[in-house]
Each structure stands twice: as C-alpha cells, then as structure tokens.
Amino acid sequence: MMNRSTSLSRRLMIGAGVFITAALVIAAVLISFVLHHFVQGQIDQRLDAHILFLSSMLDVDDSGNLRLAGSADGPPFDRRRHGWYWEISGPNNVLRSRSLDGTDLTPPDIHNRHPPPRRADDDPPPRNRPAPADGVGPDDRMLHFRILNVSVSGVPATIVASAPRDAVRGPMWQAMRTLALSLGVLGIALICAMLLQVRLGLRPLEQLRRAVADVRSGLRERVPDAQPSEVQPLAAELNALLEQNAANLERARKHVSNLAHGLKTPLATLAVALQKPTPGAEDLHDLVVLMDRRIRHHLGRARSAALGGPVRTRTAIAPRVADLVLVLGKVNADKAITFVNRIPPGLAVACEQQDVDEMLGNVLENAYSWCRSKVAVGSTQEGRSIILFVEDDGPGLSPEQMSQALQAGRRLDESAPGFGFGLSITRELAELYAGSLTLDQSSLGGLRVAIRLPSASLD
C-alpha cells in the first residue's frame, strides 16, 4: 500500500536525480577512458617516432659494434632521470641516452608473451612496429616502454624508448579536473531544469486543488473544464460528482421542505386551537409541543445531513436584503418607514439561499411590523463567522419576553396575526449552520436581532 505522505514531486525529483547522477557518472567514465586512450596514443606516437629516428641513424662498425650516425638526445631525452630514456642493445655493446646517466634500462621481456587469439578474418599483425610494455625503471619510477627489434647489416638490435607514467597521468588528471568541474556545472543545470520542469508539470494539479477548494467554499459551482489532457478526466469526474451531489441535495431539500410544510402548519393550528380553555386542553397542548419539538429535531438532523455534503453553497446577502425590503416596503406602504442598509456589497455566507431568505424574512417582517419609523440592517465579521443584525425603533422586549419569544408557538401579542414560530424557526435554521440567534436592546430603542452564520470564505 502506498504511503499517504508520498509526494509526487518528491518521487519525480528523486527519479530524475538518480537518472541524472547515473548518466553523469557513466559519461565521466566513458570520457575518462577516451581521454586515457587519446593521451596514451600521443605518448606512443612520440616514442615510436623517436624509435624510428634511432633506427634510421643506427649503423655497425667494422668490429660489429652498434653506433649512431649523430646525436639522438634531443628534448625531452636530454633531461636526466626524468623517465624519458632510450637504449639500443646489441650483441657486443649497448647505446644509452644521456638521461640514463650511465644506468641500465631493463625493459620487460616481451618475447615470452603469448599473442592474443586471432580469428580467421582478422588482418595480419603489423610488422616492424614497436610493442608496448609497462615496468619499473631507474629510481623505481614507473615507466611506459615501446620496444622494437631490428636488424642492422645482419646484426640484431633492440631499441627501447620509455616515458614516465606521469606523462599520461598528469594530463589525465588535469583533463579530469576540468571534466569534473564541467560535469558538476552540467549536473547543477540539469537539476535546476528538473526542479523547474517538476514545478511547471505539477502546476495544473495545484490549480485543480485551488479550484476544488473554491467549489468547497462556494466561490464557484464546478471545476473549470479547461485542463491539460492528463488532468481532464479527473476534472470531468469531479464535475460529474458535484452535479450528482447537487441533485441529491436538491431532492433531499425538497423532501424536507414538503415534510416541514406538511407537519408544521397542522401542528401550529392545533396548538392555537388548544390554547382555548377546554377540558384536557392543557395535556393535549403539552403533547403537541412535544410532537413539534421531536419533528423539528428530526427535520433538523435530516437537513443538516443534506447540507453536510461536499458541496458548499454561497449566498450574497445584499441582493437578498434588497429583495425582501422591496416586498416588505409594499406590504407596509401605509407606514413611513426609513430603511438603513449597512450590508457591504461583497458580503456572502455559506448557506442556502432559501434558508437565508427565510431567516432574514422572518426577522425583517417582525422589524417592519413593530417599528415606529426606522429599520436598520448591518453586519460584522468575527473570525470565520458573519453576524447579521436587524434593528428597529419599536417598543422592544424585556429580558423575560426575549426568552419567551424564542419558544415555538409563543406569541407575545395575541392580537397580531401568526402562530409565533418565526423566531424559533430562524434560530433553528441558524443552528443547522453551526450559528446562533440572539436578541438584545437596539441602539434605536427597539429590538436588535443578531444572526451568526458561517462566512462563505471558509476553506
């Protein structure tokens, strides 16, 4: 099972880092092999050229001794004990370079070497070509030898030329240091390019995450369809899931609404009828109140479950207040009511629109009914919650009346129409969204109703 904390970017970077490192190491090995072969070839060509030069100057005197027709101690064979030596050995005498300073050059024996196996289609081995060998020379210095057996006027001779192994290793180390620096710079550039590529490649996933967060917070209804081809199937499935959840939510809301209208109104009518002084009415009234409380409890649980899905709604407050005030102004046209709207244009809550309409409608209707001449609506932001308040300049309520006003079916003024469920329904709706409803004295002199609801900017 894959670890939940596994990161796609980390996996991509680790995989690319391992590949880049392996590629650079293999490149360094191959380049070092090519450089060694090239430097070794240059040294061999230089030694072979000197051996051919020596063989062209080699002669035999009347006594059968080997001799040179001129000087052969040009650079670098004129430097004493530096590893650049030559020696010609014959049956009667030995000729040495001045760099040997009188010591003998003892090259490895190449006569007992077994030649490598040859296939039938291989070219014949070249003749009169120096053979390579490695060994220890004077002063225990590691030398690289080139050895050629020749015959001068019937006298056999062996011509040996040597170069220090440092002549190969020195240029190799210098080249490898430059190569290592170049590969290091290349590796850093590749890693930076890889990090940029991973960041750019995973950017659509980050954009998709933000889009899903916007859907969850109610800023948008669906994920944008314009996605890269690799992310498009995921975006399409998310949109399909959102549409399905929205349809299920709408069906659940309709069932809850139908049940609420089917039960609340008969119960409210029965509660009002039982308030008349008749035998046994008090017991039946308590039973009706208990039934109403249980129905509201289960309706609230069903509604909360429907609203607790992955789809978060967003309702702007200012347009809803404007629509409600327009209707209430026409209903209360006989009263000269001044309405003050302090709702910011961009304010929104994470609630269903019809719930917002019902909550604000109940509170504004009471404010218009009881005010003398002024109603004010405003809001404040407290953390992740928005508090909507409605104030009027009416007679207001005492603390005892405020507690009674929130009880279902309790009407403080029997002469007014209605069943006394407005504020209790508003409080229940606010509590479904983890909010609250409180009553207080208004600065205008009347009642102040405060509704706390979740902000639409919640993640």
Side-chain angles (χ1 to χ4, degrees):
M1 182 180 295
M2 184 178 294
N3 189 3
R4 293 183 179 179
S5 61
T6 300
S7 171
L8 288 178
S9 60
R10 184 181 304 170
R11 294 174 64 187
L12 291 174
M13 287 188 290
I14 291 176
V18 171
F19 176 79
I20 290 174
T21 302
L24 292 178
V25 170
I26 294 174
V29 172
L30 293 178
I31 293 175
S32 63
F33 176 79
V34 173
L35 285 175
H36 182 273
H37 184 73
F38 175 77
V39 175
Q40 185 70 62
Q42 295 294 317
I43 298 297
D44 289 345
Q45 289 180 8
R46 189 169 189 177
L47 295 177
D48 291 351
H50 198 69
I51 289 175
L52 293 178
F53 174 70
L54 291 173
S55 65
S56 65
M57 297 176 59
L58 190 59
D59 194 6
V60 179
D61 59 13
D62 296 338
S63 301
N65 294 325
L66 298 174
R67 64 182 181 182
L68 290 175
S71 175
D73 288 328
F77 296 96
D78 57 346
R79 303 170 62 187
R80 296 181 183 273
R81 300 299 179 92
H82 275 74
W84 292 91
Y85 310 125
W86 60 265
E87 182 180 85
I88 303 174
S89 57
N92 299 326
N93 65 328
V94 177
L95 302 177
R96 302 180 182 88
S97 63
R98 285 185 301 176
S99 57
L100 279 171
D101 201 15
T103 59
D104 292 331
L105 189 62
T106 56
D109 185 9
I110 63 174
H111 296 287
N112 295 328
R113 291 185 179 179
H114 297 285
R118 297 177 59 251
R119 296 182 301 180
D121 55 349
D122 287 345
D123 296 332
R127 296 181 179 179
N128 298 327
R129 182 174 180 181
D134 293 304
V136 181
D139 301 327
D140 296 330
R141 184 191 292 270
M142 292 298 300
L143 301 178
H144 176 68
F145 299 94
R146 297 290 288 182
I147 305 171
L148 178 65
N149 295 319
V150 298
S151 177
V152 181
S153 300
V155 177
T158 300
I159 304 175
V160 179
S162 68
R165 291 299 303 174
D166 293 340
V168 178
R169 294 174 182 171
M172 274 291 299
W173 282 116
Q174 294 179 2
M176 288 304 297
R177 283 195 293 268
T178 304
L179 175 63
L181 179 61
S182 302
L183 291 180
V185 174
L186 177 61
I188 294 175
L190 290 176
I191 290 175
C192 294
M194 176 263 295
L195 294 176
L196 180 61
Q197 182 180 8
V198 170
R199 183 177 295 274
L200 292 178
L202 295 181
R203 181 173 294 178
L205 293 180
E206 176 63 20
Q207 294 175 350
L208 181 61
R209 185 198 67 79
R210 294 179 181 177
V212 173
D214 290 343
V215 171
R216 185 168 177 258
S217 62
L219 297 179
R220 63 171 74 232
E221 295 182 356
R222 55 186 288 120
V223 175
D225 295 325
Q227 301 288 343
S229 58
E230 293 81 4
V231 186
Q232 178 62 38
L234 177 59
E237 290 296 330
L238 285 175
N239 287 329
L241 179 61
L242 291 173
E243 293 175 358
Q244 181 179 359
N245 287 346
N248 294 337
L249 176 62
E250 185 62 25
R251 285 196 296 269
R253 288 189 57 81
K254 288 182 179 179
H255 291 317
V256 171
S257 179
N258 293 335
L259 183 59
H261 285 87
L263 294 176
K264 287 182 180 180
T265 302
L267 281 176
T269 305
L270 183 60
V272 173
L274 291 176
Q275 290 180 358
K276 298 177 181 181
T278 57
E282 183 176 355
D283 296 336
L284 291 177
H285 184 271
D286 294 338
L287 182 61
V288 169
V289 172
L290 178 61
M291 292 172 58
D292 179 75
R293 185 182 301 113
R294 290 185 177 179
I295 290 174
R296 292 178 184 278
H297 171 71
H298 291 289
L299 287 178
R301 292 186 60 185
R303 195 166 197 170
S304 177
L307 296 174
V311 178
R312 295 285 303 275
T313 59
R314 182 177 187 272
T315 301
I317 298 299
R320 310 318 310 153
V321 172
D323 292 345
L324 291 171
V325 169
L326 180 63
V327 174
L328 292 174
K330 294 180 179 179
V331 174
N332 298 273
D334 56 332
K335 298 174 64 175
I337 300 176
T338 302
F339 178 73
V340 180
N341 187 358
R342 300 190 184 97
I343 300 295
L347 186 68
V349 293
C351 304
E352 291 287 339
Q353 177 178 327
Q354 64 185 67
D355 290 337
V356 173
D357 289 344
E358 186 169 0
M359 289 185 286
L360 290 177
N362 290 333
V363 176
L364 286 173
E365 184 179 3
N366 288 337
Y368 268 79
S369 298
W370 295 100
C371 73
R372 292 187 176 92
S373 61
K374 188 174 183 180
V375 175
V377 177
S379 65
T380 58
Q381 181 88 29
E382 290 188 3
R384 296 184 175 183
S385 299
I386 291 177
I387 300 178
L388 305 175
F389 57 86
V390 178
E391 299 178 284
D392 63 71
D393 59 350
L397 298 176
S398 65
E400 294 78 9
Q401 291 175 327
M402 291 180 187
S403 61
Q404 296 177 6
L406 295 178
Q407 298 178 7
R410 295 300 302 271
R411 292 188 300 152
L412 302 179
D413 188 356
E414 297 293 338
S415 62
F419 299 104
F421 288 95
L423 290 179
S424 63
I425 292 176
T426 302
R427 183 187 63 180
E428 291 175 0
L429 288 175
E431 290 175 351
L432 286 179
Y433 292 97
S436 63
L437 182 143
T438 57
L439 304 179
D440 201 354
Q441 295 293 331
S442 169
S443 59
L444 301 179
L447 183 65
R448 182 180 189 271
V449 182
I451 306 174
R452 180 185 295 269
L453 296 173
S455 173
S457 61
L458 279 174
D459 293 333

